């Protein structure tokens, strides 16, 4: 369990939460830290410390407040919808990973972190100067993550004194903590941006998937409306984009901007059938109980068939080829929807640290392998967890027509399941047949083995970093992803 002193420290920090950062957020932080220091996890990595979460406790406990300063607008209802998911008990895995990795990277000697000038200025103690800095330049006075590139009167379109700039408020004592902790101001801002992008995707996903719950309470589309949820997600992405630009590093801007596009690409892959579709079926869109035919292209813009599309005709393509294509499609979609944000944010943290290319690549691969593991476990839990434990509707993938790893492993053994997959389990009894097949052919066990493979690969990537408490905390977190129940 967590020491009394650690709890007192977290309680002290929690007093500075934003108004909407409720006690639930703090409770989540406590629960996360308790999981990280469980005896089983500690034994797995032979760690000598007891409170790995405490390594970044100050940054994590102020996460909601920091994000509040980034997403504020002049419209109270928009503020309410945009901050809705930050109030509830979220896993906050992505910012936690970025912060712990940033701390682990700080243990690399400065002589080995000279790829770019390291930005470690205390952003709250500098006098503001006018002028637009050059991209990639190390921070100077007036060139921090909190300073605008354009005049505020242009950004707001009104007198900036009427609505305070929500992107220029320094955070209480965080930079001083950064200096002691080895976490750079831009890396801390990166963690906040990543959580904003992720939360925007949740708002959109819940509208697309017709979800009715998220994090143990009504989803955004139910609590407000579909339109408000979509607009709030768009607003979060807009605010995140501004914060991305203020990192003033072209490479990081490119990485994070690409993750936003990847999320959309992955969602489109999920909307389409996995594989096993003939040409006519590929031209039909089925969503929300409505079927529409895709308009034919005019030829002005080049379009092409997705590379993973194969035929359901056994006379044209053999079963093994179809299964292999389905798994490739599934993993590609999983990367785009989940692993892209993890992997590219880890890479961005390494770039900002000034680390060399081999370290940057291992950080990227760590995030990629961890992200794939995370989503594969999520797909497995969809079959096994209750709604209460999962925090969102469980056993929903089959009902949505999604063919994830468990059913794909079953299909590998039973080719007849291909027909169910091709029609997205929409006939009566298809879902029950699929669930029984997953159990019969040990689909969940094989899915667990797949997730374990990616977990072990992520741990191997971490071992390329110097030994430190932060690295051990990441190892604990990586193992906990594999064993989580929600």
């Amino acid at each position: 369990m967590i020491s009394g002193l650690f709890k007192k420290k977290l309680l002290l920090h929690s007093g500075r939460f934003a108004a909407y950062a409720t006690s639930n957020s703090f409770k989540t932080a406590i629960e996360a830290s308790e999981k990280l220091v469980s005896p089983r996890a500690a034994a797995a990595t032979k760690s000598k410390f007891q409170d790995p979460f405490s390594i970044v406790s100050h940054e994590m406990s102020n996460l909601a407040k920091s994000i509040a300063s980034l997403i504020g607008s002049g419209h109270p209802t928009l503020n309410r919808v945009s901050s809705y998911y930050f109030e509830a008990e979220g896993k906050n895995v992505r910012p936690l990973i970025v912060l712990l990795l940033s701390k682990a990277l700080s243990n690399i000697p400065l002589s080995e972190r000279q790829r770019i000038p390291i930005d470690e200025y205390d952003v709250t103690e500098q006098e503001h100067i006018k002028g637009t800095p050059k991209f990639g330049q190390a921070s100077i006075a007036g060139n921090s993550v909190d300073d605008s590139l354009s005049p505020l009167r242009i950004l707001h379109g009104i007198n900036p004194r009427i609505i305070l700039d929500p992107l220029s408020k320094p955070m209480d004592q965080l930079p001083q903590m950064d200096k002691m902790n080895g976490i750079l101001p831009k890396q801390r801002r990166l963690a906040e941006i990543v959580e904003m992008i992720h939360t925007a995707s949740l708002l959109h996903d819940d509208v697309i998937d017709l979800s009715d719950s998220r994090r143990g309470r009504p989803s955004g589309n139910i609590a407000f409306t579909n339109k408000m949820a979509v607009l709030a997600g768009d607003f979060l992405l807009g605010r995140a984009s501004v914060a991305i630009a203020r990192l003033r590093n072209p490479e990081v801007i490119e990485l994070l901007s690409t993750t936003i596009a990847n999320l959309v690409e992955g969602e489109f892959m999920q909307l389409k059938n996995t594989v096993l579709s003939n040409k006519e079926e590929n031209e039909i869109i089925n969503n929300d109980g409505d079927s529409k035919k895709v308009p034919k292209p005019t030829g002005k813009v080049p379009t092409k068939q997705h590379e993973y599309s194969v035929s359901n005709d056994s006379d044209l393509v053999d079963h093994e080829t179809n299964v292999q294509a389905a798994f490739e499609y599934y993993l590609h979609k999983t990367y785009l929807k989940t692993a892209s944000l993890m992997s590219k944010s880890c890479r961005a943290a390494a770039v900002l640290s000034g680390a060399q290319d081999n370290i940057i690549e291992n950080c990227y691969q760590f995030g990629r392998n961890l992200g794939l593991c995370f989503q594969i476990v999520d797909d497995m839990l969809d079959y096994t967890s209750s709604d209460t434990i999962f925090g969102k509707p469980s056993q929903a993938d089959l009902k949505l027509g999604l063919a994830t790893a468990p059913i794909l492993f079953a299909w590998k053994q039973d080719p007849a399941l291909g027909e169910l997959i091709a029609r997205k389990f929409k006939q009566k009894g298809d879902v029950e047949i699929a669930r029984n097949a997953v159990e019969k052919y040990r689909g969940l066990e094989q899915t667990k083995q797949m997730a374990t493979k990616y977990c072990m690969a992520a741990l191997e990537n971490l071992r390329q970093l110097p030994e430190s408490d932060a690295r051990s905390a990441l190892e604990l977190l990586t193992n906990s992803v594999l064993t989580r129940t929600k």
Side-chain angles (χ1 to χ4, degrees), residues 365-393:
Q365 291 297 337
F366 162 70
R368 177 184 181 276
N369 289 319
L370 181 61
L372 291 172
C373 175
F374 187 93
Q375 187 58 52
I376 291 169
V377 170
D378 212 53
D379 294 339
M380 182 175 64
L381 292 176
D382 187 70
Y383 282 79
T384 60
S385 295
S386 65
D387 291 6
T388 302
I389 294 176
F390 211 28
K392 57 185 177 180

Side-chain angles (χ1 to χ4, degrees), residues 189-361:
R189 180 53 48 83
L190 172 65
E192 298 157 8
I193 292 169
V194 167
E195 187 64 9
M196 290 169 67
I197 294 174
H198 171 62
T199 302
S201 74
L202 296 184
L203 283 163
H204 288 161
D205 284 353
D206 286 344
V207 172
I208 294 169
D209 297 339
L210 306 177
S211 299
D212 56 16
S213 64
R214 169 72 65 178
R215 295 175 177 174
R217 63 178 188 164
S219 54
N221 50 305
I222 298 298
F224 302 96
T225 62
N226 280 345
K227 184 178 289 187
M228 283 189 177
V230 170
L231 291 174
D234 292 344
F235 181 73
L236 280 177
L237 291 178
R239 285 299 197 208
S241 298
V242 175
I244 290 170
R246 290 180 178 179
L247 293 176
R248 293 171 164 85
N249 183 294
E251 188 173 358
V252 173
I253 293 171
E254 182 180 61
L255 284 168
L256 296 181
S257 299
T258 303
T259 66
I260 298 175
N262 288 160
L263 287 168
V264 179
E265 292 172 318
E267 194 61 47
F268 263 82
M269 288 186 73
Q270 184 162 292
L271 284 173
K272 296 291 289 182
N273 210 345
T274 308
V275 285
L276 303 178
S277 298
N278 60 41
K279 185 176 180 181
E280 292 182 359
E281 288 173 337
N282 270 333
E283 294 177 349
I284 301 296
I285 299 175
N286 294 293
N287 191 40
D288 300 348
D290 188 20
S291 295
K292 292 185 178 180
K293 191 169 184 178
V294 178
K296 292 186 179 297
T298 63
K300 288 186 177 181
V301 179
T303 57
K304 63 179 181 179
Q305 182 74 11
H306 201 288
E307 61 180 312
Y308 292 123
S309 296
V310 296
S311 174
N312 193 28
D313 190 341
S314 59
D315 293 333
L316 298 177
V317 181
D318 63 89
H319 176 61
E320 184 177 347
T321 300
N322 272 342
V323 171
Q324 181 178 352
F327 270 109
E328 289 176 356
Y329 188 100
Y330 167 70
L331 290 173
H332 188 187
K333 179 201 71 175
T334 300
Y335 172 79
L336 293 172
K337 281 181 62 69
T338 304
S340 173
L341 185 56
M342 284 192 181
S343 61
K344 290 174 182 174
S345 62
C346 287
R347 187 178 182 91
V351 169
L352 292 172
S353 77
Q356 298 302 313
D357 288 344
N358 64 317
I359 294 295
I360 292 175
E361 179 62 20

Side-chain angles (χ1 to χ4, degrees), residues 16-61:
R16 293 193 292 267
F17 266 33
Y20 68 76
T22 64
S23 59
N24 283 338
S25 300
F26 178 63
K27 179 182 176 184
T28 302
I30 291 292
E31 290 176 349
S33 57
E34 287 180 331
K35 290 178 183 178
L36 284 173
V37 298
S38 64
R40 178 182 297 180
T45 61
K46 299 180 180 179
S47 175
K48 295 181 179 179
F49 59 87
Q50 294 182 332
D51 295 332
F53 184 81
S54 66
I55 297 173
V56 292
S57 62
H58 189 80
E59 289 83 359
M60 287 298 294
S61 62

Side-chain angles (χ1 to χ4, degrees), residues 6 9-10 13-14 17 29 33 51-63 96 99-100 174 177 181 183:
F6 178 49
K9 287 182 179 179
L10 279 183
H13 296 319
S14 69
F17 266 33
S33 57
D51 295 332
F53 184 81
S54 66
I55 297 173
V56 292
S57 62
H58 189 80
E59 289 83 359
M60 287 298 294
S61 62
N62 277 276
L63 182 69
L96 179 60
L99 292 170
L100 286 174
L174 276 172
M177 288 292 295
N181 225 3
I183 298 175

Side-chain angles (χ1 to χ4, degrees), residues 76-127:
T77 305
L78 178 56
N79 287 337
R80 181 76 189 93
V81 186
S82 300
S83 64
Y84 181 66
Y85 280 168
F86 296 107
E87 297 174 350
E89 294 186 17
K91 301 182 185 76
N92 293 333
V93 171
R94 291 156 187 83
L96 179 60
I97 290 170
V98 170
L99 292 170
L100 286 174
L101 184 61
S102 298
K103 175 63 176 172
L105 288 164
S106 72
N107 287 278
I108 300 175
L110 287 174
S111 61
E112 299 175 18
R113 290 194 285 139
Q114 298 179 342
R115 186 173 179 268
I116 64 169
I118 299 176
D119 183 354
E120 55 184 0
Y121 235 102
D122 184 339
V123 298
T124 65
E125 295 180 354
Q126 308 309 312
E127 295 181 1

Side-chain angles (χ1 to χ4, degrees), residues 433-447:
I433 292 172
R435 287 175 180 167
N436 292 334
V438 167
E439 183 177 356
K440 178 180 179 180
Y441 296 109
R442 300 178 62 252
L444 294 178
E445 289 87 341
Q446 294 180 79
T447 301

